[in-house]
Amino acid sequence: MAKFGKMEEGGFDKSYYLYQRNLHSPQKILSSYRRQKGRIMSMIAAFYGGKSILITGATGFLGKVLMEKLFRTSPDLKVIYVLVRPKQGQTLQQRVFQILDSKLFEKVKEVCPNVHEKIRAISADLNQNDFAISKEDMQELLSHTNIVFHCAATVRFDDHLRHAVQLNVTATQQLLLMASQMPKLEAFIHISTAFSNCNLKHIDEVVYPCPVEPKKIIDSMEWLDDAIIDEITPKLIGDRPNTYTYTKALGEVVVQQEGGNLNIAIIRPSIVGATWQEPFPGWVDNLNGPSGLIIAAGKGFLRSIRATPMAVADLIPADTVVNLTLAVGWYTAVHRPKSTLVYHCTSGNLNPCNWGKMGLQVLATFEKIPFERAFRRPNADFTTNNITTHYWNAVSHRAPAIIYDFYLRLTGRKPRMTKLMNRLLRTLSMVEYFINRSWEWSTYNTEMLMSALSPEDQRVFNFDVRQLNWLEYIENYVLGVKKYLLKEDMAGIPEAKQHLKRLRNIHYLFNTALFLIAWRLLIARSQVARNVWFFIVSFCYKFLSYFRASSTLNA
Ligand SMILES: CCCCCCCCCCCCCCCCCCCCCCCC(=O)SCCNC(=O)CCNC(=O)[C@H](O)C(C)(C)COP(=O)(O)OP(=O)(O)OC[C@H]1O[C@@H](n2cnc3c(N)ncnc32)[C@H](O)[C@@H]1OP(=O)(O)O
Ligand SMILES: NC(=O)C1=CN([C@@H]2O[C@H](COP(=O)(O)OP(=O)(O)OC[C@H]3O[C@@H](n4cnc5c(N)ncnc54)[C@H](OP(=O)(O)O)[C@@H]3O)[C@@H](O)[C@H]2O)C=CC1
């Protein structure tokens, strides 16, 4: 591994220049150096200049943020190949252009006006042999690719094991095989998850072995039928909570075992949330992780959640993950570490925030920025045991849904709330595992990388989560959910506040009516209740008489 001199602030490290010269043509390096000379230079941004980059999962949440940052900071990159499958009646080009035409890419279009020409969509399905890539496309990919970022995965917790293995393990194996035939490849970056070893409490930046070899699992998926796979799934996943974490762990082992001589690194982000700073705060475009539950809470469906308030909420902003990923890509290609390095991209040990604090800040933000047309006023609680969870699920989730569906039926409309609520309860049951435990992830490699960056790179590719202000981040996150996921206009906030006031009044009326009915029934059945009632009534009568008498005397 090459060793370099310490970077001077804002300067150009000569040893880095000399090292780069071994990898690239001197003219290329020199012109890049000249281009950068006038201003403080980001070595990482310069590194991606002129490169052909292959991204899988580019149409996903993380993939989009990764592409955006690459185009914005290295507009002189050669091409980004994206492996895309046609979907929802859209062609590949339509899918890609829709992404490029979104708000996320507004800044990119300023710095890289020809972005449409620099992206090449390749038709590919990672579930198929050779990814169903045409011969010509495959030839182009193999002969040109310099860097691979493997982001594609199924992130569903409850996916069938066969499908999860296909995408998270077999596809990774196939991609490595492809990578081994790329003569110009400089680095292969695999995105895993910090929860791939969530059966452990303390997790180091190493690949942990799996009891059954991934190759055996891949083979068995080919001949076992679904019924048998269903039966053995709990035994295989063992003390992991789902097929997602299990297959991501297998994927890592495959990367380590079959990476051969490639320069490989593994990145393990924890729970990826909305962007923190770049290209703007609060960007998010899917319901995974906390986003769906923030909507459910803001719309008043989610009223209680089984979570441990003191457990660490290990969220990490999407732009932080992307900055680390690009820094790792550069470091892996340039420094060529001898072994596969694993980088934890987590917040818990450097800047912890717990679910209690996060929940309160989410609720506080709803006060300022309410969501439109809420079902009930947002006001959720954390519960910590089985009995209270069942009680609140019945009282706060199921009962209002049944009542509302009854009302919809009465008014000739189709009931839908019970179905929605069942879906929410299912989602809650899936995430409970993650919000009632804390993990410790060591971050030596990530911190080592941070210190290896020049001050300019530390600024442009900032992944120092210690600088994150959680309260501000969560507020922007909720705002982002409202703007970019729910597509609600800020102009609607006064009306949303009015709607919440009406809901509060309905709530008070409903509770008063309920109390009076219950009390009336109690009086009819119990002598004690009747006595208490007469006592209260006579006390009020005496108080009123006294008040009337004293006001007459004063007059
Ligand atoms: C003191 C005050 C307290 C106040 C609290 C109030 C505020 C609370 C906010 C804070 C909440 C904190 C909770 C945080 C949760 C954190 C989860 C952490 C998980 C970490 C794991 C590791 C991280 C990773 O590595 S991977 C990324 C994570 N992956 C996921 O999140 C995927 C999860 N999704 C699934 O597995 C499935 O979608 C599932 C099982 C949830 C649902 O499957 P199902 O088959 O039933 O439905 P779908 O076909 O998928 O979708 C149907 C329908 O539902 C919509 N939908 C999908 N996902 C969600 C969701 N998460 N929430 C809500 N809705 C969802 C989907 O869009 C579909 O809608 P259609 O309209 O039908 O299209
Ligand atoms: N989000 C999170 O909280 C975390 C994510 N991660 C990891 O980060 C990576 C990216 O996750 P994220 O962006 O959130 O996930 P998304 O679900 O948003 O994106 C998944 C991507 O994979 C693609 N994909 C899925 N199946 C296929 C297929 N058969 N052929 C081709 N492409 C396919 C999807 O394409 P399409 O658009 O066609 O569906 C999409 O582009 C994953 O490896 C995940 O494990 C790790 C920790 C946390």
Side-chain angles (χ1 to χ4, degrees):
M1 190 163 74
K3 293 265 183 280
F4 305 119
K6 215 173 152 17
M7 194 64 46
E8 288 161 42
E9 183 161 355
F12 189 83
D13 184 356
K14 204 172 167 208
S15 56
Y16 171 73
Y17 166 74
L18 293 172
Y19 183 75
Q20 284 270 332
R21 205 171 56 175
N22 298 331
L23 300 174
H24 311 284
S25 72
Q27 290 92 331
K28 235 173 161 184
I29 293 289
L30 214 60
S31 70
S32 159
Y33 175 42
R34 280 196 193 116
R35 264 200 314 277
Q36 306 289 346
K37 215 178 154 192
R39 56 194 158 101
I40 299 171
M41 183 192 152
S42 158
M43 289 207 301
I44 298 176
F47 166 76
Y48 288 106
K51 293 275 157 56
S52 299
I53 298 157
L54 168 61
I55 302 182
T56 70
T59 51
F61 176 42
L62 215 52
K64 287 178 202 162
V65 185
L66 178 65
M67 264 199 309
E68 193 279 338
K69 177 86 182 200
L70 265 170
F71 278 128
R72 185 157 46 82
T73 50
S74 307
D76 56 344
L77 62 79
K78 191 168 171 202
V79 62
I80 296 188
Y81 295 112
V82 292
L83 300 192
V84 191
R85 49 183 175 169
K87 219 178 172 186
Q88 288 155 352
Q90 285 181 306
T91 63
L92 312 185
Q93 280 72 18
Q94 281 168 335
R95 287 196 73 188
V96 171
F97 284 9
Q98 191 176 30
I99 295 171
L100 296 182
D101 292 338
S102 69
K103 182 168 167 57
L104 183 71
F105 280 75
E106 271 175 8
K107 284 189 184 163
V108 165
K109 291 213 191 102
E110 286 166 23
V111 287
C112 184
N114 60 339
V115 59
H116 287 78
E117 292 157 22
K118 292 206 170 216
I119 193 159
R120 173 116 151 69
I122 305 261
S123 176
D125 183 345
L126 271 60
N127 284 323
Q128 308 287 326
N129 263 347
D130 288 336
F131 301 156
I133 297 178
S134 74
K135 260 193 186 153
E136 299 74 45
D137 286 344
M138 184 63 93
Q139 203 43 55
E140 184 173 348
L141 285 177
L142 296 184
S143 49
H144 291 101
T145 304
N146 301 116
I147 316 281
V148 176
F149 292 108
H150 179 33
C151 301
T154 167
V155 302
R156 289 183 66 94
F157 295 145
D158 62 340
D159 222 345
H160 193 266
L161 187 64
R162 188 196 301 284
H163 185 244
V165 167
Q166 173 58 49
L167 208 55
N168 296 348
V169 193
T170 315
T172 303
Q173 189 188 40
Q174 278 204 42
L175 192 65
L176 285 165
L177 192 67
M178 264 175 74
S180 67
Q181 298 163 48
M182 295 174 173
K184 293 187 181 162
L185 191 74
E186 294 170 39
F188 182 107
I189 311 302
H190 174 75
I191 310 293
S192 185
T193 162
F195 295 95
S196 54
N197 299 290
C198 59
N199 50 327
L200 306 176
K201 179 134 182 45
H202 176 91
I203 302 159
D204 282 318
E205 288 167 303
V206 295
V207 175
Y208 291 90
C210 287
V212 183
E213 282 289 298
K215 275 186 207 150
K216 286 190 183 149
I217 302 284
I218 293 173
D219 289 346
S220 62
M221 291 299 129
E222 272 167 26
W223 58 270
L224 289 176
D225 68 25
D226 282 356
I228 299 180
I229 293 180
D230 286 342
E231 212 165 290
I232 60 170
T233 298
K235 292 191 185 85
L236 285 174
I237 68 176
D239 46 6
R240 287 188 178 81
N242 51 43
T243 53
Y244 170 66
T245 50
Y246 174 62
T247 53
K248 289 298 279 190
L250 288 177
E252 289 182 6
V253 177
V254 162
V255 168
Q256 199 185 43
Q257 288 179 345
E258 306 195 18
N261 295 325
L262 302 174
N263 284 325
I264 302 193
I266 296 174
I267 296 176
R268 289 191 186 142
S270 47
I271 303 169
V272 183
T275 53
W276 167 21
Q277 292 165 319
E278 290 180 81
F280 45 84
W283 187 81
V284 58
D285 85 333
N286 74 20
L287 295 167
N288 290 340
S291 311
L293 294 177
I294 289 176
I295 294 183
K299 293 278 184 185
F301 300 116
L302 174 68
R303 305 281 296 183
S304 83
I305 184 164
R306 189 176 169 176
T308 305
M310 292 313 289
V312 176
D314 210 300
L315 248 67
I316 192 84
D319 45 341
T320 307
V321 181
V322 161
N323 286 344
L324 174 68
T325 302
L326 292 175
V328 168
W330 161 78
Y331 186 86
T332 310
V334 172
H335 290 253
R336 300 168 178 252
K338 284 201 184 82
S339 60
T340 300
L341 292 187
V342 178
Y343 298 85
H344 281 161
C345 192
T346 53
S347 56
N349 66 334
L350 296 173
N351 182 5
C353 177
N354 60 44
W355 291 111
K357 181 174 167 183
M358 192 161 290
L360 285 174
Q361 181 63 5
V362 169
L363 290 181
T365 310
F366 292 149
E367 293 282 324
K368 281 199 273 180
I369 317 162
F371 292 172
E372 290 170 14
R373 293 184 300 278
F375 174 59
R376 295 180 68 190
R377 277 179 72 78
N379 184 24
D381 279 316
F382 287 134
T383 61
T384 42
N385 72 51
N386 270 338
I387 298 170
T388 49
T389 304
H390 286 305
Y391 173 78
W392 287 117
N393 276 347
V395 171
S396 293
H397 292 143
R398 290 191 201 280
I402 292 170
I403 294 170
Y404 190 71
D405 276 352
F406 181 65
Y407 162 74
L408 287 179
R409 269 208 189 88
L410 277 183
T411 51
R413 283 174 285 173
K414 203 174 157 216
R416 57 189 164 85
M417 201 50 75
T418 313
K419 198 171 155 203
L420 202 98
M421 210 50 100
N422 285 339
R423 201 178 268 169
L424 172 66
L425 294 181
R426 200 168 113 74
T427 304
L428 288 179
S429 71
M430 301 255 171
V431 302
E432 267 176 13
Y433 179 92
F434 301 98
I435 52 184
N436 284 287
R437 289 170 174 76
S438 296
W439 287 266
E440 288 160 20
W441 285 281
S442 62
T443 49
Y444 296 114
N445 288 342
T446 304
E447 288 174 66
M448 171 281 293
L449 179 59
M450 208 181 298
S451 58
L453 300 190
S454 69
E456 180 61 0
D457 278 332
Q458 285 178 357
R459 188 185 67 77
V460 180
F461 295 89
N462 179 18
F463 51 89
D464 186 355
V465 79
R466 283 171 294 205
Q467 297 163 15
L468 185 106
N469 175 335
W470 282 109
L471 297 185
E472 200 179 280
Y473 173 70
I474 295 161
E475 187 169 313
N476 284 329
Y477 194 156
V478 174
L479 193 63
V481 166
K482 181 176 170 71
K483 284 207 276 196
Y484 310 117
L485 264 179
L486 294 172
K487 312 247 186 288
E488 290 183 4
D489 197 335
M490 292 299 123
I493 289 179
E495 167 52 27
K497 284 189 174 164
Q498 256 333 96
H499 178 70
L500 290 186
K501 271 192 193 145
R502 280 196 294 275
L503 286 179
R504 189 192 51 197
N505 294 342
I506 293 173
H507 177 77
Y508 287 156
L509 264 176
F510 183 82
N511 279 2
T512 312
L514 209 66
F515 173 76
L516 289 177
I517 293 169
W519 188 235
R520 183 71 195 83
L521 291 174
L522 201 67
I523 285 177
R525 280 174 177 70
S526 148
Q527 184 58 46
V528 179
R530 265 197 299 276
N531 290 345
V532 172
W533 179 240
F534 287 133
F535 174 77
I536 294 172
V537 171
S538 64
F539 180 80
C540 290
Y541 179 75
K542 276 181 193 150
F543 179 76
L544 276 177
S545 308
Y546 169 78
F547 183 71
R548 219 184 285 153
S550 63
S551 56
T552 316
L553 276 178
N554 285 342

